[in-house]
């Protein structure tokens, strides 16, 4: 029994020990909590197995911070890189890093590796896009002057940089975080940092200041291309020397790099282009597979230059340079990848530059002395060298100063150079901070100095002087002044001989129909005879010299965005002008309708559309603005909504028209279309039913159905109410010129109004908010009513007989002029809906009290739409707003007199 009890006790002890060993200890869970913040996990705690959470926090803070800083800096025309670096400085140890726990929580040392990795991937792809931007063909234009500017703009700052490098090397060579390198390598790096120019930022500044097509822009762009390429080569040399363990290794690195460059250009590039042609990627644009192949080519090139001891970004840069520019392939590739790079990767990289910048290290007089010295050397070397070279090439002093200011721009390229120096331990954190301050100062000063030395008024003066229109004092060389009075024969000098128009895709149908009225009647030529049937003895009779046609110049404006591909489009404006379908449609239609037509495509910021149009139209007699059919600045396909039904309520387009009218120095006409050129294809039938329908859009659906036939009546009827003043006089001259077309009839009514009706409104600014926040004062002069009546009577009496059968002059006395205009217009226009479209022409008269005051108690008054309604009145005039709101079935043309300066 004892033995059995002992056995039971032994078994019990063994089982108990096994169960105890298998039972979890009460020291805590073996698996880390998976519930995140629901289990009280701090989301900014770095987890090596799940680093994405901290990365999202870091990226979100950086992007939001940089975008907030970019908004005010954009107002003073500063590039985005300024905001990104300043954002990094504020987030770094200089400002927010001083908050206890901020750096350890948001930017801990263990979490910076992932941020650096993503930022450097973005940098590699960005240098690929920079390579896509570099077009060596640009350097061929004005190459002699550009070569002089480029050489002097690099040699002098390089030499001055080598001089100041002596002091920097002796003062800061033993600081923590640096490698014991020779003075020669340090001097080479400092010289490159002083000599380099930021080509991508320079392109954007030139575009925003509208200098690309000026002599200054052409020379700076050509010199900048060569400067950029030479700068990257010198930097690659510097990095190779730093990475090499001996002089022999450095030689092998350089020889390998040169051989690889030749291999890329003479072996890889032809094969790549053959592949693109074979897949039709050059003709039809890159597919997703081609984009993937191109990115692999970029990464492979970066990999090779990285493993041979040169930084990976040089391989990406060269991969971008070998991509063909044919048919805009480089632009299409950049469009596919640039948004993610510009919105996420680059802010991370340049913010890291700011995070590595510690303004607190500039804590002594000698350090600040070097800060000032580096800034002076960097700016003065570029400015003096480029200015002297430009002056030696025969350019004007102001042009030379502008070239010097632009070439001193450092921008993001300088920051890339500095970061490479910091990573290679050439620079300490203190010297890195000194050079970051220099990059910010020189980049910040570029735009203001260029505007100061080369303002728009000086550009216009130089252009007119070089065309031989004025002498250097600004006086016209021909000495001719146009004088006109009320006699029709003496109005020839005031006729529109050249007009400029804004070409919009959505407004082309009505714009072409209206422009054709300036062509007049084409000369009837004798019937053609086949060349083989002509008699050898026959000689054609000499024709009378043809009448000089009206010149029409069309401007197609493309929006310049903050994307790199948009800047690339600027280089291709000649190609866009030659092949743009809108410009070519206008060119062909104009020539068929007896107009001497030219056109061009420009890539400018949307905020500069008004300034561009007013500047380009300065040598014309008329600027023609079509109203938007889309309800805004966009030209995309129209989907009818509230914005398109009430066209003049579009605040964005009102702001654009208002700015253009206020800046224009020539007569400006705004065409608000309503079926001008013929009615639209618009079916009113209910298409919701499941049955076969017949429409004018699909004429083959029923061959016997009535369809929209060609216009048999191409006539237009014009109604013009004349009150007086500069705007109305200008509008009257324009109506009479349009009426010279045999398909135009016109009714011109002079309204004899009560005394005080034409008095100007109170002295105030007629303003409307615009994206650029620019407000201008509308200034018009009001003529004496008796002089206006005499002018109208003289024209009426001197009207030539061909016009007298199509133009009717009337004078009526009115006590309610606005109401009488609406009543008479409803009778005059819209009576023949199958003609080419009728037109109501109005003087702008925005400061005539009687035409813009409140009128109550009329059922046909347009209802106010808040600020938009008020804006329409202040931009187009109260009468135009009332006429358009009456829905008379006719287009409206609002004419503002020119104010030449």
């Amino acid at each position: 029994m004892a033995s059995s009890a002992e056995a039971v006790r032994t078994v019990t002890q063994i089982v108990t020990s096994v169960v105890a060993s298998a039972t979890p200890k009460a020291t805590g869970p073996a698996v880390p909590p998976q519930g995140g913040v629901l289990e009280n996990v701090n989301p900014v705690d770095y987890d090596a197995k799940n680093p994405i959470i901290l990365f999202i926090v870091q990226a979100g803070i950086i992007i939001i911070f940089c975008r907030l800083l970019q908004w005010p800096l954009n107002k003073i025309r500063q590039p985005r890189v300024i905001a990104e670096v300043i954002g990094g400085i504020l987030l770094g140890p200089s400002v927010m890093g001083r908050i206890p726990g901020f750096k350890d929580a948001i930017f801990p040392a263990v979490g910076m590796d992932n941020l650096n990795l993503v930022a450097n991937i973005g940098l590699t792809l960005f240098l690929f896009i920079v390579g896509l931007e570099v077009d060596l063909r640009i350097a061929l234009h004005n190459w002699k002057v550009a070569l002089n500017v480029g050489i002097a703009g690099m040699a002098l700052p390089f030499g001055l940089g080598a001089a100041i490098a002596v002091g920097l090397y002796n003062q800061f060579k033993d600081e923590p975080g640096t490698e014991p390198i020779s003075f020669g390598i340090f001097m080479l790096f400092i010289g490159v940092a002083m000599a380099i120019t930021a080509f991508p930022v320079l392109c954007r500044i030139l575009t925003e200041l509208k200098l690309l097509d000026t002599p200054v822009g052409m020379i700076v762009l050509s010199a900048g291309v060569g400067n950029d390429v030479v700068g990257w080569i010198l930097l690659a040399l510097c990095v190779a020397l730093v990475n090499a363990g001996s002089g022999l290794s450095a030689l092998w690195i350089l020889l390998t790099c040169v051989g690889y460059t030749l291999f890329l250009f003479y072996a890889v590039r032809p094969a790549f282009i053959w592949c693109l042609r074979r897949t039709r990627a050059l003709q039809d644009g890159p597919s997703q597979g081609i984009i993937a192949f191109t990115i692999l080519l970029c990464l492979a090139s970066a990999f090779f230059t990285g493993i041979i001891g040169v930084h990976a970004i040089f391989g990406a840069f060269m991969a971008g340079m070998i991509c063909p520019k044919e048919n805009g392939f480089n632009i299409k590739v950049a469009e596919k990848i640039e948004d993610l790079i510009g919105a996420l990767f680059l802010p991370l990289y340049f913010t890291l530059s700011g995070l590595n910048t510690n303004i607190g290290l500039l804590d002594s007089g000698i350090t600040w002395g070097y800060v000032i010295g580096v800034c002076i050397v960097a700016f003065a070397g570029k400015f003096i060298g480029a200015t002297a070279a430009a002056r030696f090439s025969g350019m004007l002093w102001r042009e030379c100063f502008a070239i010097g200011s632009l070439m001193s721009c450092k921008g993001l390229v300088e920051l890339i150079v500095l970061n490479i120096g910091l990573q290679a331990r050439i620079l300490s954190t203190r010297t890195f901070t000194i050079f970051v301050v220099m990059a910010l100062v020189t980049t910040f000063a570029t735009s203001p100095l260029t505007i100061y030395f080369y303002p728009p008024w000086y550009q216009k003066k130089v252009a007119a002087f070089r065309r031989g229109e004025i002498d250097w004092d600004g006086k016209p060389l021909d000495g001719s002044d146009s004088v006109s009075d009320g006699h029709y024969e003496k109005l020839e000098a005031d006729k529109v001989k050249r007009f400029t128009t804004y070409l919009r895709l959505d407004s082309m149908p009505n714009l072409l129909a209206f422009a054709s009225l300036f062509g007049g009647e084409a000369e009837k030529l004798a019937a053609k005879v086949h060349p083989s049937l002509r008699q050898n003895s026959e000689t054609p009779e000499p024709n009378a010299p043809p009448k000089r046609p009206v010149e029409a110049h069309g401007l197609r404006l493309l929006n310049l965005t903050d994307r790199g591909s948009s800047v690339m489009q600027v280089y291709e404006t000649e190609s866009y002008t030659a092949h743009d379908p809108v410009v070519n449609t206008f060119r062909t239609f104009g020539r068929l309708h007896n107009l001497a037509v030219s056109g061009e495509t420009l890539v400018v910021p949307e905020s500069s559309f008004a300034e561009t149009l007013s500047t380009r139209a300065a040598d014309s007699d008329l600027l023609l603005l079509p109203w938007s059919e889309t309800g805004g600045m966009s030209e995309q396909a129209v989907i009818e909504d509230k914005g398109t039904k009430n066209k003049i309520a579009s605040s964005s387009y009102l702001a654009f028209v208002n700015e253009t009218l206020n800046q224009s120095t020539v007569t400006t006409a705004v065409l608000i279309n309503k079926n001008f050129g013929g009615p639209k294809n618009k079916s009113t039938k209910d298409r919701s039913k499941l049955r076969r329908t017949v429409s004018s859009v699909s004429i083959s659906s029923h061959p016997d159905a009535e369809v929209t036939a060609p216009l048999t009546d191409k006539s237009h009827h014009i109604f013009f109410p004349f009150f007086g003043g500069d705007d109305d006089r200008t509008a009257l001259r324009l109506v009479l010129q349009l009426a010279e077309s045999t398909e135009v009839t016109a009714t011109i009514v002079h309204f004899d109004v009560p005394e005080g009706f034409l008095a100007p409104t109170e002295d105030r600014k007629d303003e409307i908010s615009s994206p650029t926040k620019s407000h201008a004062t509308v200034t018009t002069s009001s003529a004496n009513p008796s002089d206006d009546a005499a002018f109208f009577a003289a024209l009426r009496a001197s009207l030539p007989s061909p016009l007298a059968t199509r133009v009717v002059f009337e004078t009526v006395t009115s006590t309610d002029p606005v109401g009488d205009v609406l009543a008479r217009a409803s009778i005059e226009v819209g009576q023949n809906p199958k003609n080419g479209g009728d037109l109501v022409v109005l003087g702008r008269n925005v400061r005539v009290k009687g035409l813009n005051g409140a009128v109550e108690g009329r059922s046909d008054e347009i209802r106010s739409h808040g600020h938009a309604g008020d804006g329409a009145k202040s931009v187009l005039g109260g009468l135009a707003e009332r006429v358009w709101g009456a829905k008379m079935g006719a287009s409206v043309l609002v004419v503002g007199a020119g104010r030449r300066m």
Side-chain angles (χ1 to χ4, degrees), residues 216-228:
V216 168
M218 295 176 185
I219 291 170
V220 168
L221 203 60
S222 302
V225 171
N227 193 307
D228 208 39

Side-chain angles (χ1 to χ4, degrees), residues 364-389:
S364 64
I366 188 68
T367 305
W368 276 106
Y370 275 109
V371 170
I372 297 172
V374 166
C375 291
I376 292 175
V377 167
F379 177 78
K382 279 286 188 181
F383 184 83
I384 295 174
T387 299

Side-chain angles (χ1 to χ4, degrees), residues 790-836:
F791 174 81
F792 185 85
L795 275 179
R796 181 177 186 175
S798 60
L799 200 66
S801 55
L803 278 181
T805 59
R806 299 193 304 276
V807 179
V808 174
F809 282 81
E810 294 184 20
T811 300
V812 298
T813 302
S814 174
T815 57
D816 180 14
V818 175
D820 291 343
V821 168
L822 294 175
R824 183 61 182 269
S826 64
I827 298 173
E828 291 286 341
V829 299
Q831 303 305 312
N832 185 4
K834 293 186 178 181
N835 70 347

Side-chain angles (χ1 to χ4, degrees), residues 22-170:
T23 303
K25 296 181 179 180
T27 57
V31 179
Q34 302 296 309
V37 294
L38 299 180
E39 295 187 15
N40 299 321
V41 175
N42 188 347
V44 296
D45 283 346
Y46 179 73
D47 182 3
K49 296 181 180 179
N50 189 28
I52 184 66
I53 302 299
L54 179 60
F55 175 79
I56 292 173
V57 173
Q58 294 171 335
I61 291 175
I62 289 172
I63 293 172
I64 294 173
F65 211 73
C66 292
R67 289 289 171 174
L68 290 176
L69 285 173
Q70 183 187 350
W71 181 75
L73 289 172
N74 272 345
K75 304 300 179 182
I76 53 176
R77 296 186 173 182
Q78 293 301 321
R80 189 176 60 191
V81 65
I82 296 287
E84 291 165 352
V85 176
I86 293 177
I89 292 174
L90 295 178
L91 290 171
S94 303
V95 182
M96 299 189 72
R98 297 179 181 272
I99 301 174
F102 176 80
K103 182 179 183 301
D104 293 335
I106 305 301
F107 298 106
V110 292
M112 296 304 292
D113 289 340
N114 295 313
L115 198 62
N116 272 292
L117 174 62
V118 176
N120 279 281
I121 292 173
L123 177 66
T124 302
L125 293 176
F126 173 71
L127 262 293
F128 173 68
I129 294 179
V130 173
L132 292 175
E133 289 185 19
V134 173
D135 191 347
L136 297 178
R137 296 174 299 177
I138 299 174
L140 299 177
H141 301 290
N142 305 301
W143 67 272
K144 291 184 179 180
V145 181
L147 183 63
N148 293 334
V149 172
I151 292 176
M154 289 199 74
L156 183 59
F158 188 93
L160 294 176
I164 200 173
V166 176
L168 289 168
Y169 183 77
N170 293 327

Side-chain angles (χ1 to χ4, degrees), residues 672-674 717 829-830 837-840 884 887-892:
I672 311 173
N673 173 57
K674 187 174 288 185
H717 184 64
V829 299
D838 293 340
L839 188 66
V840 177
W884 179 258
K887 300 180 179 179
M888 297 177 183
S891 302
V892 177

